[in-house]
Amino acid sequence: MAYVLHKLKLRRFFSSLIILIAFLSLSLVVSVSVGSTYIPLNEVYACITGLDCSSNVRYVLQYRLVRTLVALLAGGALATAGVIMQGIARNPLAEPYILGLSSTALTALSLAIIIDVNVIAHRYLFMLIAFIGALFGYFLTSILSALAGYTSNSLILSGIAVTAFFSGTSHALLYIVQDRLKFPYVHLLMGSTSVALFNDIYYLTATLAACLVITYICGIPKLLNAYLVGDDYARQLGYNLKVLITLAAFVVSILTGATVAIVGIVSFIGLAAPHISRMMLGTSDHRITTIVSSIVGSLLVVIADIGSRLLMVLTARGEFPLGVVTSIIGAPFLAYLIIVGGRK
Amino acid sequence: MRIKINNLSLNYDSVKALDSITLDIEPGNVTCIIGPNGAGKTSLLKSIASLLKPTGGSIYLDGKDSKLYKPKELAKIISYSEAQITRSIPMKVLDFILTARYPFHDVLHYFEGGRDLEVVNDVCNELKVTHLLDRRLDEVSSGELQRIIIAAALAKRPKVLLLDEPSAYLDIRYRFEVLDHVRRYTKEYNITTVIALHDLHLTSIYCDKVVLMSGGRIVACGSPSEVLTDEAIRNVYGVEVMTIAVGNGSVIAVPKPSNLG
């Protein structure tokens, strides 16, 4: 029985991977063809394969490819952050946005821009500042939640308090930034890939790859499997919880900080992707849900990015932020999870 | 594995949870710790598992101070399990039981190998939880969960098995079955089993040695018939009881509340 189930699990994992990668490839092609300038799919195909490419088409495609790839990487990063966050919080509603990490990261960024505008040009420094902000948010929410008795409700409510305070603060600060800098930094509030630069692909790829490698090499997925059961259960398996949980919190903060620094706050991806991956896989074994979540997250953000551009085409009103789309889809999903969780 | 506890003390803030405990625990025996709530049963089990750091004294495992073992080594030898686990993000029962095999993996063996699955398969058949393996942890009853937790504890193939209240949520059939299995397993593999129990009747049936605790101290220690006396129970629990022997050394303690006239 154990053998059969184990095999089935692995088979389900690989088939999920194949299906997701197929969908992701499809969404990439759609993403580069959708926008204010319509490019027929056959021209997209011809250009990608190098058969025939006019310079106009190439320019548009390059721009769209950059933002599509940034969307893909940001989605992967947020989903990975989400799945780890839910594990260390032992709470299926935990997510970097809900627990306040995104808002504190953005507040740190706005402060940094006000202090020295040039910080924007140094992407690694910019990401580092956002990371410190996110880490601050993590500890602030954890401390508040611990003071309130460490129940699953106290964690979420602390997160809401931290998010509310710091999204207000970051709004105010970004208004000040707008006076100094003629750049639509309000986009950071709701997330957007329209401001992404070519080099951001490298920064995000490096960050996401490093975080995934660290996560797997340090055995964080296994730790989370054991940790979900209980502190003492994980410790009797030989895990040093203080070190590993702190490391996991760092990984979450790095991933959140990196995405906030580049695309701004994109909500609910870290919530939805882990749930969808658990549904697909039928288990919450973090060794497989972490990687599947990251692909689901990529897919979700690429689709949301397509959605935000479709909205632009349909309403003829200019660019819609990405976060608008993820919020409109993500919030009902959160409501669904609350209802299902409440019924149990 | 022989466990020698020498003058062990443990303080929570200024409260004495364990007070100079000295105890020898032999392999191949089921040792039961009984006593009222707050007597220090859980503290003692957790200290043996090195989950709590003692304030004083030491614990020797096969003559070697447990502080000298690496956490990874201890993880392979000692299984400690509680009566309840968190199920907020429930995994599959099989995935949960397989977590017990993690101490045997190294960096290269990220997933379970044939040996892990074989052990888990055997343990699940013995504890009759095989039909539950495909369910999620939140889809099983509390009695089933209890058996699953014990299956996970045994899936380590431990040399020291520490169970905290393993029978709390079980119905009478599984109380007997599970403890019977634990006892058989202890004899067969010559492991050292320590169980914290509340049920005095089960204690008298399944334990080779009983340790009666109260206020962080050992009050009495010996065979069930030596320890489970009217007088000792009255002194420790503060309840008048009448112990009735029902054969084979098994004892039923019937409470006689004094205020009922």
Side-chain angles (χ1 to χ4, degrees):
Chain A
M1 186 72 174
Y3 302 94
V4 180
L5 289 174
H6 187 69
K7 251 191 202 150
L8 276 178
K9 180 174 103 175
L10 291 182
R11 197 178 298 161
R12 204 162 162 182
F13 170 52
F14 287 117
S15 51
S16 304
L17 272 186
I18 292 167
I19 292 168
L20 283 171
I21 289 171
F23 271 105
L24 191 60
S25 320
L26 184 68
S27 69
L28 290 184
V29 177
V30 174
S31 178
V32 288
S33 10
V34 170
S36 49
T37 323
Y38 174 70
I39 305 173
L41 276 179
N42 56 341
E43 276 186 45
V44 174
Y45 180 76
C47 202
I48 290 173
T49 50
L51 292 173
D52 172 36
C53 211
S54 71
S55 62
N56 255 353
V57 172
R58 175 178 298 166
Y59 177 76
V60 173
L61 283 188
Q62 236 166 32
Y63 167 71
R64 283 186 197 160
L65 193 62
V66 168
R67 58 181 292 174
T68 302
L69 288 178
V70 167
L72 180 144
L73 293 163
L78 285 172
T80 310
V83 76
I84 299 175
M85 191 80 238
Q86 291 184 1
I88 54 182
R90 287 197 194 109
N91 193 322
L93 299 182
E95 196 233 0
Y97 171 72
I98 293 175
L99 294 193
L101 278 71
S102 307
S103 334
T104 49
L106 189 59
T107 306
L109 288 179
S110 348
L111 271 178
I113 297 172
I114 288 174
I115 293 166
D116 182 5
V117 174
N118 293 322
V119 75
I120 297 168
H122 302 93
R123 282 305 216 197
Y124 269 124
L125 182 63
F126 205 50
M127 282 161 67
L128 181 71
I129 292 166
F131 154 67
I132 294 168
L135 197 62
F136 172 74
Y138 170 78
F139 283 116
L140 189 61
T141 304
S142 305
I143 290 167
L144 277 180
S145 160
L147 289 177
Y150 239 128
T151 64
S152 67
N153 283 336
S154 78
L155 182 74
I156 299 297
L157 292 176
S158 311
I160 290 169
V162 172
T163 304
F165 181 79
F166 285 97
S167 64
T169 314
S170 55
H171 269 253
L173 293 173
L174 285 170
Y175 272 111
I176 302 170
V177 168
Q178 281 229 311
D179 284 345
R180 300 196 180 184
L181 195 69
K182 290 292 161 235
F183 199 73
Y185 265 93
V186 171
H187 273 229
L188 286 178
L189 287 171
M190 284 303 274
S192 173
T193 52
S194 64
V195 292
L197 306 171
F198 185 74
N199 278 346
D200 291 341
I201 296 174
Y202 293 128
Y203 295 126
L204 275 179
T205 310
T207 312
L208 179 57
C211 283
L212 280 175
V213 167
I214 290 172
T215 302
Y216 274 92
I217 284 185
C218 296
I220 288 175
K222 276 184 180 173
L223 161 81
L224 291 179
N225 287 347
Y227 182 72
L228 274 183
V229 176
D231 279 9
D232 283 328
Y233 185 80
R235 288 172 59 215
Q236 60 103 25
L237 291 177
Y239 287 108
N240 185 334
L241 292 189
K242 260 185 200 156
V243 171
L244 285 168
I245 295 298
T246 313
L247 180 69
F250 268 68
V251 168
V252 170
S253 305
I254 292 170
L255 290 168
T256 309
T259 42
V260 172
I262 287 169
V263 298
I265 295 181
V266 180
S267 49
F268 296 113
I269 297 300
L271 178 76
H275 281 277
I276 294 172
S277 72
R278 282 197 282 266
M279 277 177 215
M280 285 185 84
L281 297 167
T283 179
S284 57
D285 184 343
H286 288 80
R287 286 171 296 182
I288 60 181
T289 54
T290 307
I291 200 77
V292 169
S293 289
S294 72
I295 302 174
V296 170
S298 297
L299 185 61
L300 289 178
V301 177
V302 171
I303 291 173
D305 193 41
I306 296 172
S308 76
R309 268 176 288 152
L310 279 179
L311 274 179
M312 169 174 76
V313 175
L314 290 176
T315 58
R317 271 185 194 282
E319 188 74 33
F320 270 82
L322 184 58
V324 169
V325 182
T326 60
S327 292
I328 290 172
I329 303 167
F333 188 75
L334 174 64
Y336 162 77
L337 290 178
I338 292 170
I339 293 167
V340 170
R343 277 203 192 137
K344 261 178 205 162
Chain B
M1 183 165 267
R2 182 176 295 274
I3 304 173
K4 219 174 156 68
I5 301 171
N6 200 355
N7 208 18
L8 186 77
S9 298
L10 179 79
N11 294 353
Y12 283 125
D13 299 322
S14 58
V15 182
K16 270 198 170 153
L18 295 176
D19 189 2
S20 26
I21 301 278
T22 299
L23 184 65
D24 268 8
I25 305 171
E26 279 116 42
N29 275 351
V30 177
T31 305
C32 290
I33 307 175
I34 58 169
N37 294 327
K41 304 187 291 288
T42 301
S43 299
L44 181 57
L45 286 184
K46 284 190 181 177
S47 301
I48 297 172
S50 287
L51 296 175
L52 290 174
K53 265 205 188 110
T55 343
S58 32
I59 297 167
Y60 296 94
L61 303 173
D62 270 351
K64 184 174 162 186
D65 193 328
S66 69
K67 286 181 215 108
L68 300 176
Y69 285 87
K70 289 185 191 128
K72 290 273 167 206
E73 285 177 85
L74 282 181
K76 289 182 196 173
I77 301 169
I78 301 180
S79 255
Y80 166 79
S81 61
E82 290 164 301
Q84 269 303 342
I85 59 173
T86 318
R87 294 186 276 179
S88 53
I89 302 180
M91 41 185 153
K92 281 272 169 77
V93 171
L94 174 63
D95 290 328
F96 165 60
I97 298 177
L98 282 171
T99 58
R101 301 297 301 170
Y102 288 175
F104 302 93
H105 298 180
D106 50 33
V107 186
L108 293 176
H109 292 92
Y110 214 77
F111 283 91
E112 286 78 18
R115 165 87 185 134
D116 299 320
L117 290 168
E118 190 189 315
V119 169
V120 169
N121 205 35
D122 293 350
V123 168
C124 291
N125 283 336
E126 286 159 16
L127 281 171
K128 302 196 174 74
V129 292
T130 308
H131 64 292
L132 302 171
L133 286 178
D134 197 29
R135 298 219 199 137
R136 284 206 325 258
L137 281 174
D138 58 343
E139 294 168 337
V140 298
S141 71
S142 43
E144 288 167 337
L145 183 67
Q146 199 108 53
R147 271 145 62 210
I148 291 164
I149 294 172
I150 294 168
L154 290 178
K156 251 189 198 183
R157 292 282 186 232
K159 287 182 183 154
V160 177
L161 177 65
L162 309 171
L163 300 174
D164 200 348
E165 276 304 323
S167 63
Y169 296 89
L170 296 173
D171 62 28
I172 39 175
R173 174 188 161 196
Y174 281 116
R175 267 180 203 198
F176 291 125
E177 275 200 25
V178 162
L179 286 176
D180 204 43
H181 180 74
V182 167
R183 185 176 166 84
R184 226 178 322 116
Y185 189 89
T186 304
K187 303 287 175 196
E188 197 179 321
Y189 290 85
N190 199 36
I191 66 169
T192 312
T193 301
V194 188
I195 309 177
L197 269 181
H198 268 305
D199 190 315
L200 301 180
H201 178 52
L202 290 174
T203 305
S204 70
I205 301 174
Y206 291 107
C207 304
D208 298 299
K209 187 171 162 186
V210 181
V211 178
L212 179 60
M213 288 183 73
S214 176
R217 286 172 163 279
I218 293 178
V219 180
C221 177
S223 70
S225 55
E226 285 165 11
V227 175
L228 298 172
T229 60
D230 295 6
E231 199 190 348
I233 293 166
R234 187 194 320 120
N235 288 342
V236 169
Y237 289 90
V239 180
E240 287 285 345
V241 291
M242 193 167 69
T243 50
I244 305 167
V246 284
N248 298 335
S250 130
V251 164
I252 299 175
V254 186
K256 303 188 288 186
S258 49
N259 54 353
L260 285 183

